[in-house]
Structures are given as structure tokens and as C-alpha cells.
Amino acid sequence: MPEISVIVPVYRAEAFLRKCTESILSQTFADLELLLVEDGSPDKSGALCDTIAGEDPRVRVFHKENGGVSSARNLGMEQARGKYIAFADADDWLPPDALALMHAAMVKNGADTVGGSHNRVEVDGRSEPEPGAMPAGIYGPEEVRAGIIDRLLGERMGKPGEVLNGFIWRFLFSKDIIWEKHITFAGAYLEDELFLLEYFCYAKKLAMIDEPVYYYLQNPVSVTRRYLPDYIHTFERFMAAKIALAEKHGLGDNLPHWKENSNWAGLLIAIGNEFAASNPAPLAKKRRKVKEFCARAEMAEAIQAIQPQGLGRNKQMVADLVCKKRFFVLSMLYWYKNRNH
């Protein structure tokens, strides 16, 4: 059996897939399997997956009807044979020694999870290093709760250094924990954050390394950059799942305003999404929808409870205008921004 299973969901990925898979199959740590889960892609990604599998016996391909990235990852986890599981997105790639470094840290420290840093890559090729979820070191459950779980749960308004993105691809996970605790992905957006939140409620020992283990391409056609017509309902489902996890594991007692913080964060994303240049709706309709978002009970409560401070310049401006209910000015600022980009 392979030591590590690497799971890659594949959808509309024919332009990127070769680079991604070659970076995995050429790892200095060779005791791996690569699971390509082709999620009903309308392009030639499925055929390319089969071609790649024919070139290396470590590759297994699964074709399925389109169900989204969560269902693709879940199928990969069900089929994984490795002791450890890693994830990659089809438009990204790994440094040659990524798995070797993480596996060595896992074995040396008797850890059940290893995390590293990553490099953010712009479409013009520029690359910027990004720190890992925590500094290099060995962490037990209490430290993980403070350093990861509480930050994912999130009193994050005005605390940019406290924000933790749900990047699952910079960790090496224990398959035993995933299988024994029946941890799965759900939803089409923010699913990574929920997965990490639940997983780290069970992980006992985390080893963090300084080295970059992933190249994250800022793909302009990524799902996280497209206009999502149903975002607010997607966020509702995300919050319901997050609240259920918090109640199940007794989280948040030390973070009395985590729900309001989470709703504020979701509201800022919803506003940016609604005013996105790729949203074809007239500006007046976008403005009306944003006012409706802000009037929703949970969002109105968050706006009343928290006055965000210390955000980035643009987000701070949006938050201030929302607090003052100056939606016309807000819409004109987005109109100006979209016109000049």
C-alpha cells in the first residue's frame, strides 16, 4: 500500500493538469498514489486523466457525474489507500520535496498532521511566500485549539493577523482520523474551512515546518473569483454547519462574538460578490440586493454588535459605509472600481 494518497479533483482543468500531476509524480518521495477524480468535466480533462494514468501505475482515475469539488474530494478519500492524505487543486503544483519534507516531519515527531507554508503565484509568474498556519514547531491539542481552531471559528474583524484561510492543501492528514471520525467535505464554498475545523478537533499532534509545500496559482477563472448568484444562501448553509460543529465540540465559549464576526466576514464577501464586474445585473439591483443582505436578521445583529476596525483600506471603507447605511455611495465606489479595471 502507498504511504501517501494525493487527491486532485479535476474539472475544466486540461490547461493546467499536466503541470499539476507532473509535480506530484516527480516528488522525491515516491511511495505515493495519485487519485484523479474527474468531476463530469465538459472539456478534455477526463481523457487527459486516462492518458496520465496509462503513463504511471501510481495513478488511479475516477470518473463521476458533476457534483462539485466536495463530492470529488469525498470520493477520493473513500478510495484512498495511503496512510496519509494530501490534497491539491488541478491548477496548482507542488515543490519537488514537498511530500518528503512533510512525511519526514510526521515520522520524526510522531505527529498525526503536518503543515507547511506556501507560495502565492500570480498569473504573470510573480511569486510571494505566505506563512504557514502556525510557526514551525510541534503543537498539542490545546495549542492547536488556540492557534487553528479558534482562529477558524473567528473573532477576526480588525485582526488581520488572526485570519486563517482554510487551505487544506498545505497539510498532510491522517487517513485514520478522517475515516474513524467520518470527516467529509460539504458544499461548494468555504468547505475547506469546515473540514479543517472538524479535523483539528480530533488531531492530537501537529508538526509545522517552515518550508513551502505548495504553489497556489491566482487563477482568474477559479470558482473563488467568479460571481456566485447563490452566495448568500451558500453562506447560510456554511454558518449553520459551523454553528453545529461548535456546539458538537464545545467551541466558542472563549469567543463570545465569533458568530457576529463570521457573519461580518461573510457579509463583506457577499457585498464584493454582488458588486462584482461579472455580475450582469444593473447597478440599482445590485444595490438593492446588498441592502437586503444587510437587513437580514443575523447580518443586522452583527452590524449592530461590531464596528470593524483595522481592516485593509478597501474593506474598511466598505464596512464603514455599511455601518452608516450609505449604500448609494458604496455602489458608486464599486461602479468606479469596475469601470477602471
Side-chain angles (χ1 to χ4, degrees):
M1 292 294 159
E3 188 77 352
I4 298 175
S5 297
V6 184
I7 298 169
V8 178
V10 178
Y11 184 79
R12 292 187 184 272
E14 59 179 314
F16 307 99
L17 190 59
R18 270 290 180 187
K19 183 171 186 176
C20 175
T21 58
E22 287 175 2
S23 77
I24 295 168
L25 296 172
S26 62
Q27 288 288 299
T28 57
F29 185 91
D31 188 11
L32 62 86
E33 65 170 355
L34 171 57
L35 280 64
L36 299 176
V37 186
E38 188 264 315
D39 189 34
S41 185
D43 63 3
K44 297 178 182 178
S45 293
L48 182 55
C49 287
D50 293 334
T51 299
I52 293 167
E55 298 167 354
D56 193 313
R58 295 175 297 170
V59 182
R60 291 194 289 149
V61 178
F62 302 89
H63 299 281
K64 60 184 286 296
E65 292 184 4
N66 180 250
V69 66
S70 288
S71 66
R73 287 175 179 156
N74 289 341
L75 176 57
M77 291 191 298
E78 289 172 9
Q79 297 294 330
R81 297 169 178 165
K83 184 176 181 181
Y84 305 109
I85 290 178
F87 297 95
D89 292 337
D91 50 356
D92 301 330
W93 62 97
L94 279 61
D97 56 354
L99 296 181
L101 290 168
M102 289 197 287
H103 186 266
M106 187 84 78
V107 173
K108 176 184 176 182
N109 298 292
D112 50 39
T113 317
V114 173
S117 62
H118 71 279
N119 287 314
R120 186 182 74 251
V121 183
E122 303 296 336
V123 290
D124 61 7
R126 289 180 296 117
S127 179
E128 292 288 338
E130 295 281 347
M134 296 175 72
I138 311 303
Y139 300 99
E142 292 305 313
E143 296 162 308
V144 167
R145 176 156 181 166
I148 292 186
I149 294 172
D150 283 354
R151 288 168 64 202
L152 286 170
L153 203 60
E155 289 197 343
R156 56 181 63 186
M157 287 294 103
K159 301 177 182 178
E162 290 297 303
V163 175
L164 181 61
N165 291 309
F167 296 148
I168 59 165
W169 31 252
R170 57 182 177 179
F171 292 99
L172 185 61
F173 299 96
S174 163
K175 188 182 72 176
D176 284 348
I177 292 176
I178 292 171
W179 278 20
E180 288 173 9
K181 302 302 181 182
H182 308 288
I183 304 172
T184 59
F185 292 91
Y189 196 69
L190 299 168
E191 74 288 340
D192 298 22
E193 187 172 314
L194 292 174
F195 181 91
L196 286 181
L197 188 60
E198 183 166 18
Y199 179 89
F200 279 110
C201 286
Y202 298 113
K204 301 297 183 186
K205 195 174 188 180
L206 166 66
M208 290 296 305
I209 60 176
D210 277 332
E211 293 85 354
V213 298
Y214 200 80
Y215 286 102
Y216 177 33
L217 179 65
Q218 303 302 286
N219 184 355
V221 298
S222 164
V223 66
T224 58
R225 290 167 176 259
R226 295 198 305 264
Y227 169 63
L228 302 173
D230 197 38
Y231 171 79
I232 198 69
H233 296 111
T234 299
F235 181 75
E236 270 186 343
R237 292 189 290 271
F238 162 78
M239 276 301 295
K242 196 172 184 180
I243 291 168
L245 273 177
E247 291 175 351
K248 177 180 178 180
H249 294 283
L251 309 177
D253 292 343
N254 57 325
L255 302 168
H257 296 297
W258 75 262
K259 293 177 188 175
E260 290 86 352
N261 274 266
S262 295
N263 279 319
W264 247 118
L267 178 60
L268 291 174
I269 295 172
I271 291 169
N273 178 65
E274 197 60 36
F275 282 123
S278 52
N279 178 2
L283 187 63
K285 183 176 180 181
K286 295 179 182 180
R287 183 166 59 244
R288 185 169 66 252
K289 289 285 289 292
V290 167
K291 289 176 70 175
E292 290 172 1
F293 295 161
C294 295
R296 296 169 74 92
E298 68 279 10
M299 299 303 184
E301 184 178 334
I303 294 168
Q304 183 69 30
I306 299 173
Q307 299 276 322
Q309 297 296 326
L311 305 180
R313 177 176 173 271
N314 291 341
K315 280 190 177 180
Q316 188 65 59
M317 191 181 303
V318 172
D320 290 346
L321 290 170
V322 167
C323 289
K324 295 173 183 176
K325 300 184 178 180
R326 299 185 68 179
F327 297 108
F328 180 79
V329 175
L330 180 63
S331 65
M332 295 309 296
L333 285 174
Y334 271 103
W335 172 81
Y336 182 79
K337 173 189 172 187
N338 292 337
R339 190 187 70 169
N340 289 278
H341 286 79

